mmCIF file of all heavy atoms in Angstrom:
data_model
loop_
_atom_site.group_PDB
_atom_site.id
_atom_site.type_symbol
_atom_site.label_atom_id
_atom_site.label_comp_id
_atom_site.label_asym_id
_atom_site.label_seq_id
_atom_site.Cartn_x
_atom_site.Cartn_y
_atom_site.Cartn_z
ATOM 1 N N LEU O 683 -116.399 20.442 -69.897
ATOM 2 C CA LEU O 683 -117.910 20.706 -69.304
ATOM 3 C C LEU O 683 -118.824 21.052 -70.422
ATOM 4 O O LEU O 683 -119.980 20.556 -70.401
ATOM 5 C CB LEU O 683 -117.946 21.754 -68.278
ATOM 6 C CG LEU O 683 -117.205 21.324 -66.917
ATOM 7 C CD1 LEU O 683 -117.209 22.464 -65.939
ATOM 8 C CD2 LEU O 683 -117.956 20.204 -66.251
ATOM 9 N N LYS O 686 -119.842 18.002 -72.237
ATOM 10 C CA LYS O 686 -120.653 17.165 -71.528
ATOM 11 C C LYS O 686 -122.082 17.790 -71.518
ATOM 12 O O LYS O 686 -123.088 17.003 -71.842
ATOM 13 C CB LYS O 686 -120.323 17.124 -70.124
ATOM 14 C CG LYS O 686 -119.186 15.977 -69.938
ATOM 15 C CD LYS O 686 -119.085 15.701 -68.328
ATOM 16 C CE LYS O 686 -118.235 14.553 -68.080
ATOM 17 N NZ LYS O 686 -118.185 14.045 -66.636
ATOM 18 N N THR O 687 -122.233 19.055 -71.223
ATOM 19 C CA THR O 687 -123.596 19.626 -71.218
ATOM 20 C C THR O 687 -124.193 19.543 -72.682
ATOM 21 O O THR O 687 -125.412 19.416 -72.632
ATOM 22 C CB THR O 687 -123.489 20.995 -70.725
ATOM 23 O OG1 THR O 687 -122.562 21.813 -71.480
ATOM 24 C CG2 THR O 687 -123.157 21.028 -69.169
ATOM 25 N N ILE O 690 -125.473 16.180 -73.303
ATOM 26 C CA ILE O 690 -126.733 15.784 -72.555
ATOM 27 C C ILE O 690 -127.965 16.556 -73.249
ATOM 28 O O ILE O 690 -128.889 16.004 -73.374
ATOM 29 C CB ILE O 690 -126.640 16.176 -71.057
ATOM 30 C CG1 ILE O 690 -125.573 15.255 -70.426
ATOM 31 C CG2 ILE O 690 -127.958 16.088 -70.340
ATOM 32 C CD1 ILE O 690 -125.187 15.650 -69.017
ATOM 33 N N TYR O 691 -127.670 17.771 -73.440
ATOM 34 C CA TYR O 691 -128.711 18.570 -74.065
ATOM 35 C C TYR O 691 -129.227 17.923 -75.434
ATOM 36 O O TYR O 691 -130.386 17.910 -75.732
ATOM 37 C CB TYR O 691 -128.196 20.088 -74.208
ATOM 38 C CG TYR O 691 -129.261 20.891 -75.002
ATOM 39 C CD1 TYR O 691 -130.407 21.375 -74.388
ATOM 40 C CD2 TYR O 691 -128.991 21.341 -76.318
ATOM 41 C CE1 TYR O 691 -131.359 22.279 -75.041
ATOM 42 C CE2 TYR O 691 -130.017 22.036 -77.065
ATOM 43 C CZ TYR O 691 -131.003 22.564 -76.355
ATOM 44 O OH TYR O 691 -131.898 23.218 -77.043
ATOM 45 N N PHE O 694 -131.266 14.659 -75.090
ATOM 46 C CA PHE O 694 -132.715 14.796 -74.600
ATOM 47 C C PHE O 694 -133.562 15.657 -75.623
ATOM 48 O O PHE O 694 -134.734 15.440 -75.631
ATOM 49 C CB PHE O 694 -132.805 15.397 -73.257
ATOM 50 C CG PHE O 694 -132.505 14.428 -72.133
ATOM 51 C CD1 PHE O 694 -131.281 14.150 -71.697
ATOM 52 C CD2 PHE O 694 -133.536 13.614 -71.650
ATOM 53 C CE1 PHE O 694 -131.104 13.277 -70.578
ATOM 54 C CE2 PHE O 694 -133.316 12.713 -70.692
ATOM 55 C CZ PHE O 694 -132.137 12.600 -70.165
ATOM 56 N N CYS O 780 -121.291 27.200 -71.659
ATOM 57 C CA CYS O 780 -121.556 25.979 -70.842
ATOM 58 C C CYS O 780 -122.748 26.191 -69.907
ATOM 59 O O CYS O 780 -123.601 25.261 -69.597
ATOM 60 C CB CYS O 780 -120.287 25.475 -70.048
ATOM 61 S SG CYS O 780 -120.504 24.001 -69.154
ATOM 62 N N TYR O 783 -126.046 26.044 -71.738
ATOM 63 C CA TYR O 783 -126.492 24.653 -72.006
ATOM 64 C C TYR O 783 -127.064 24.132 -70.549
ATOM 65 O O TYR O 783 -127.905 23.289 -70.560
ATOM 66 C CB TYR O 783 -125.287 23.784 -72.584
ATOM 67 C CG TYR O 783 -125.208 23.995 -73.902
ATOM 68 C CD1 TYR O 783 -124.261 24.618 -74.688
ATOM 69 C CD2 TYR O 783 -126.325 23.440 -74.810
ATOM 70 C CE1 TYR O 783 -124.190 24.639 -75.973
ATOM 71 C CE2 TYR O 783 -126.255 23.461 -76.266
ATOM 72 C CZ TYR O 783 -125.175 24.077 -76.844
ATOM 73 O OH TYR O 783 -125.077 24.320 -78.181
ATOM 74 N N ALA O 784 -126.311 24.535 -69.471
ATOM 75 C CA ALA O 784 -126.796 24.005 -68.231
ATOM 76 C C ALA O 784 -128.171 24.464 -67.835
ATOM 77 O O ALA O 784 -128.943 23.670 -67.294
ATOM 78 C CB ALA O 784 -125.775 24.373 -67.069
ATOM 79 N N VAL O 785 -128.452 25.675 -68.280
ATOM 80 C CA VAL O 785 -129.777 26.121 -68.003
ATOM 81 C C VAL O 785 -130.816 25.512 -68.859
ATOM 82 O O VAL O 785 -131.922 25.037 -68.345
ATOM 83 C CB VAL O 785 -129.790 27.731 -68.389
ATOM 84 C CG1 VAL O 785 -131.239 28.234 -68.253
ATOM 85 C CG2 VAL O 785 -128.961 28.547 -67.261
ATOM 86 N N LYS O 786 -130.455 25.133 -70.105
ATOM 87 C CA LYS O 786 -131.445 24.501 -71.027
ATOM 88 C C LYS O 786 -131.625 22.962 -70.495
ATOM 89 O O LYS O 786 -132.655 22.516 -70.705
ATOM 90 C CB LYS O 786 -130.910 24.618 -72.401
ATOM 91 C CG LYS O 786 -130.914 25.964 -73.007
ATOM 92 C CD LYS O 786 -130.513 25.921 -74.495
ATOM 93 C CE LYS O 786 -130.669 27.251 -75.187
ATOM 94 N NZ LYS O 786 -130.148 27.184 -76.635
ATOM 95 N N SER O 787 -130.555 22.580 -69.957
ATOM 96 C CA SER O 787 -130.801 21.066 -69.473
ATOM 97 C C SER O 787 -131.301 20.913 -68.011
ATOM 98 O O SER O 787 -131.230 19.879 -67.482
ATOM 99 C CB SER O 787 -129.339 20.388 -69.611
ATOM 100 O OG SER O 787 -128.833 20.536 -70.868
ATOM 101 N N ARG O 788 -131.842 22.014 -67.507
ATOM 102 C CA ARG O 788 -132.328 22.071 -66.032
ATOM 103 C C ARG O 788 -133.473 21.023 -65.840
ATOM 104 O O ARG O 788 -133.749 20.599 -64.849
ATOM 105 C CB ARG O 788 -132.572 23.384 -65.595
ATOM 106 C CG ARG O 788 -133.771 23.931 -66.287
ATOM 107 C CD ARG O 788 -133.952 25.353 -65.669
ATOM 108 N NE ARG O 788 -135.141 26.052 -66.315
ATOM 109 C CZ ARG O 788 -135.292 26.560 -67.332
ATOM 110 N NH1 ARG O 788 -134.220 26.595 -68.193
ATOM 111 N NH2 ARG O 788 -136.450 27.114 -67.813
ATOM 112 N N GLY O 789 -134.207 20.731 -67.031
ATOM 113 C CA GLY O 789 -135.267 19.849 -66.838
ATOM 114 C C GLY O 789 -135.022 18.470 -67.057
ATOM 115 O O GLY O 789 -135.955 17.479 -66.980
ATOM 116 N N VAL O 790 -133.752 18.064 -67.133
ATOM 117 C CA VAL O 790 -133.471 16.643 -67.215
ATOM 118 C C VAL O 790 -133.854 15.821 -65.992
ATOM 119 O O VAL O 790 -133.631 16.358 -65.000
ATOM 120 C CB VAL O 790 -131.892 16.495 -67.632
ATOM 121 C CG1 VAL O 790 -131.671 15.077 -67.564
ATOM 122 C CG2 VAL O 790 -131.767 17.091 -69.007
ATOM 123 N N PRO O 791 -134.360 14.709 -66.066
ATOM 124 C CA PRO O 791 -134.718 13.975 -64.868
ATOM 125 C C PRO O 791 -133.549 13.705 -63.930
ATOM 126 O O PRO O 791 -132.371 13.687 -64.405
ATOM 127 C CB PRO O 791 -135.177 12.666 -65.364
ATOM 128 C CG PRO O 791 -135.694 12.802 -66.751
ATOM 129 C CD PRO O 791 -134.793 13.925 -67.342
ATOM 130 N N GLU O 792 -133.848 13.718 -62.573
ATOM 131 C CA GLU O 792 -132.830 13.604 -61.671
ATOM 132 C C GLU O 792 -131.972 12.405 -61.759
ATOM 133 O O GLU O 792 -130.813 12.445 -61.377
ATOM 134 C CB GLU O 792 -133.407 13.638 -60.218
ATOM 135 C CG GLU O 792 -134.202 14.829 -59.860
ATOM 136 C CD GLU O 792 -134.742 14.741 -58.509
ATOM 137 O OE1 GLU O 792 -134.500 13.589 -57.794
ATOM 138 O OE2 GLU O 792 -135.470 15.744 -57.970
ATOM 139 N N ASN O 793 -132.426 11.495 -62.491
ATOM 140 C CA ASN O 793 -131.561 10.246 -62.665
ATOM 141 C C ASN O 793 -130.418 10.409 -63.425
ATOM 142 O O ASN O 793 -129.403 9.839 -63.471
ATOM 143 C CB ASN O 793 -132.487 9.153 -63.227
ATOM 144 C CG ASN O 793 -133.757 8.791 -62.358
ATOM 145 O OD1 ASN O 793 -134.520 9.617 -62.313
ATOM 146 N ND2 ASN O 793 -133.617 7.551 -61.759
ATOM 147 N N PHE O 794 -130.628 11.553 -64.321
ATOM 148 C CA PHE O 794 -129.479 11.995 -65.176
ATOM 149 C C PHE O 794 -128.533 12.894 -64.376
ATOM 150 O O PHE O 794 -128.593 14.188 -64.554
ATOM 151 C CB PHE O 794 -129.866 12.479 -66.580
ATOM 152 C CG PHE O 794 -130.670 11.452 -67.340
ATOM 153 C CD1 PHE O 794 -132.102 11.398 -67.252
ATOM 154 C CD2 PHE O 794 -130.000 10.855 -68.369
ATOM 155 C CE1 PHE O 794 -132.778 10.470 -68.028
ATOM 156 C CE2 PHE O 794 -130.709 9.857 -69.045
ATOM 157 C CZ PHE O 794 -132.202 9.625 -68.976
ATOM 158 N N ASN O 795 -127.779 12.242 -63.417
ATOM 159 C CA ASN O 795 -127.162 13.091 -62.467
ATOM 160 C C ASN O 795 -125.968 14.014 -62.841
ATOM 161 O O ASN O 795 -125.388 14.443 -61.998
ATOM 162 C CB ASN O 795 -126.681 12.233 -61.309
ATOM 163 C CG ASN O 795 -125.853 10.993 -61.750
ATOM 164 O OD1 ASN O 795 -125.304 11.074 -62.882
ATOM 165 N ND2 ASN O 795 -125.707 10.045 -60.945
ATOM 166 N N GLU O 796 -125.530 13.860 -64.034
ATOM 167 C CA GLU O 796 -124.495 14.816 -64.442
ATOM 168 C C GLU O 796 -124.907 16.296 -64.874
ATOM 169 O O GLU O 796 -124.228 17.180 -64.789
ATOM 170 C CB GLU O 796 -123.800 14.152 -65.745
ATOM 171 C CG GLU O 796 -122.970 13.067 -65.474
ATOM 172 C CD GLU O 796 -121.714 13.565 -64.841
ATOM 173 O OE1 GLU O 796 -120.827 14.206 -65.389
ATOM 174 O OE2 GLU O 796 -121.503 13.095 -63.665
ATOM 175 N N ALA O 797 -126.191 16.375 -65.202
ATOM 176 C CA ALA O 797 -126.679 17.623 -65.747
ATOM 177 C C ALA O 797 -126.832 18.740 -64.687
ATOM 178 O O ALA O 797 -126.343 19.878 -64.677
ATOM 179 C CB ALA O 797 -128.004 17.465 -66.421
ATOM 180 N N LYS O 798 -127.539 18.334 -63.592
ATOM 181 C CA LYS O 798 -127.638 19.353 -62.435
ATOM 182 C C LYS O 798 -126.441 19.815 -61.824
ATOM 183 O O LYS O 798 -126.204 20.854 -61.582
ATOM 184 C CB LYS O 798 -128.839 18.975 -61.608
ATOM 185 C CG LYS O 798 -130.188 18.789 -62.138
ATOM 186 C CD LYS O 798 -131.142 18.473 -61.198
ATOM 187 C CE LYS O 798 -132.594 18.283 -61.843
ATOM 188 N NZ LYS O 798 -132.984 19.366 -62.447
ATOM 189 N N PRO O 799 -125.490 18.863 -61.444
ATOM 190 C CA PRO O 799 -124.228 19.443 -60.924
ATOM 191 C C PRO O 799 -123.488 20.210 -61.697
ATOM 192 O O PRO O 799 -122.813 21.158 -61.242
ATOM 193 C CB PRO O 799 -123.571 17.979 -60.520
ATOM 194 C CG PRO O 799 -124.509 16.946 -60.423
ATOM 195 C CD PRO O 799 -125.644 17.429 -61.351
ATOM 196 N N ILE O 800 -123.459 19.980 -63.062
ATOM 197 C CA ILE O 800 -122.652 20.759 -63.973
ATOM 198 C C ILE O 800 -123.476 22.177 -63.947
ATOM 199 O O ILE O 800 -122.707 23.327 -63.936
ATOM 200 C CB ILE O 800 -122.668 20.325 -65.398
ATOM 201 C CG1 ILE O 800 -121.844 19.025 -65.363
ATOM 202 C CG2 ILE O 800 -122.202 21.305 -66.431
ATOM 203 C CD1 ILE O 800 -121.914 18.304 -66.736
ATOM 204 N N GLY O 801 -124.769 22.221 -63.876
ATOM 205 C CA GLY O 801 -125.501 23.491 -63.907
ATOM 206 C C GLY O 801 -125.046 24.389 -62.639
ATOM 207 O O GLY O 801 -124.732 25.416 -62.746
ATOM 208 N N PHE O 802 -125.159 23.745 -61.491
ATOM 209 C CA PHE O 802 -124.719 24.375 -60.338
ATOM 210 C C PHE O 802 -123.236 24.758 -60.325
ATOM 211 O O PHE O 802 -122.890 25.846 -59.694
ATOM 212 C CB PHE O 802 -125.061 23.389 -58.956
ATOM 213 C CG PHE O 802 -126.432 23.340 -58.706
ATOM 214 C CD1 PHE O 802 -127.009 22.068 -58.552
ATOM 215 C CD2 PHE O 802 -127.197 24.416 -58.348
ATOM 216 C CE1 PHE O 802 -128.406 21.959 -58.240
ATOM 217 C CE2 PHE O 802 -128.623 24.287 -58.056
ATOM 218 C CZ PHE O 802 -129.107 22.964 -58.119
ATOM 219 N N THR O 803 -122.506 24.055 -60.877
ATOM 220 C CA THR O 803 -121.037 24.370 -60.981
ATOM 221 C C THR O 803 -120.945 25.474 -61.784
ATOM 222 O O THR O 803 -120.162 26.554 -61.441
ATOM 223 C CB THR O 803 -120.304 23.190 -61.681
ATOM 224 O OG1 THR O 803 -120.237 22.052 -60.856
ATOM 225 C CG2 THR O 803 -118.810 23.659 -61.919
ATOM 226 N N MET O 804 -121.563 25.610 -62.902
ATOM 227 C CA MET O 804 -121.496 26.831 -63.745
ATOM 228 C C MET O 804 -122.123 28.139 -63.215
ATOM 229 O O MET O 804 -121.574 29.278 -63.230
ATOM 230 C CB MET O 804 -122.165 26.608 -65.172
ATOM 231 C CG MET O 804 -121.461 25.401 -65.868
ATOM 232 S SD MET O 804 -119.732 25.406 -65.795
ATOM 233 C CE MET O 804 -119.208 26.996 -66.597
ATOM 234 N N TYR O 805 -123.186 28.019 -62.329
ATOM 235 C CA TYR O 805 -123.787 29.034 -61.746
ATOM 236 C C TYR O 805 -122.733 29.678 -60.715
ATOM 237 O O TYR O 805 -122.670 30.882 -60.690
ATOM 238 C CB TYR O 805 -125.117 28.735 -61.013
ATOM 239 C CG TYR O 805 -126.103 28.088 -61.971
ATOM 240 C CD1 TYR O 805 -127.115 27.124 -61.450
ATOM 241 C CD2 TYR O 805 -126.139 28.290 -63.356
ATOM 242 C CE1 TYR O 805 -128.005 26.494 -62.298
ATOM 243 C CE2 TYR O 805 -127.082 27.665 -64.257
ATOM 244 C CZ TYR O 805 -128.056 26.896 -63.456
ATOM 245 O OH TYR O 805 -128.975 26.197 -64.456
ATOM 246 N N LEU O 850 -118.618 17.956 -58.878
ATOM 247 C CA LEU O 850 -118.788 17.048 -59.853
ATOM 248 C C LEU O 850 -117.998 15.676 -59.559
ATOM 249 O O LEU O 850 -118.465 14.565 -59.925
ATOM 250 C CB LEU O 850 -118.066 17.415 -61.233
ATOM 251 C CG LEU O 850 -118.573 18.675 -61.857
ATOM 252 C CD1 LEU O 850 -118.005 19.029 -63.121
ATOM 253 C CD2 LEU O 850 -120.136 18.387 -62.304
ATOM 254 N N LYS O 854 -118.816 11.591 -56.096
ATOM 255 C CA LYS O 854 -118.615 10.076 -56.684
ATOM 256 C C LYS O 854 -117.487 9.425 -55.876
ATOM 257 O O LYS O 854 -117.481 8.196 -55.602
ATOM 258 C CB LYS O 854 -118.185 10.383 -58.117
ATOM 259 C CG LYS O 854 -119.194 10.848 -59.021
ATOM 260 C CD LYS O 854 -118.719 11.064 -60.426
ATOM 261 C CE LYS O 854 -119.893 11.442 -61.440
ATOM 262 N NZ LYS O 854 -120.512 12.668 -61.045
ATOM 263 N N SER O 916 -127.439 8.092 -67.295
ATOM 264 C CA SER O 916 -126.386 8.903 -67.657
ATOM 265 C C SER O 916 -125.101 8.242 -68.252
ATOM 266 O O SER O 916 -124.063 8.781 -68.504
ATOM 267 C CB SER O 916 -125.980 9.772 -66.472
ATOM 268 O OG SER O 916 -125.520 8.855 -65.463
#
Side-chain angles (χ1 to χ4, degrees):
L683 286 175
K686 273 194 174 189
T687 53
I690 295 173
Y691 174 75
F694 280 91
C780 186
Y783 276 111
V785 172
K786 288 184 176 183
S787 302
R788 68 184 183 277
V790 175
E792 295 179 3
N793 301 71
F794 295 87
N795 53 14
E796 283 287 295
K798 294 188 183 299
I800 290 175
F802 286 123
T803 298
M804 299 318 300
Y805 305 152
L850 297 179
K854 293 179 175 62
S916 61

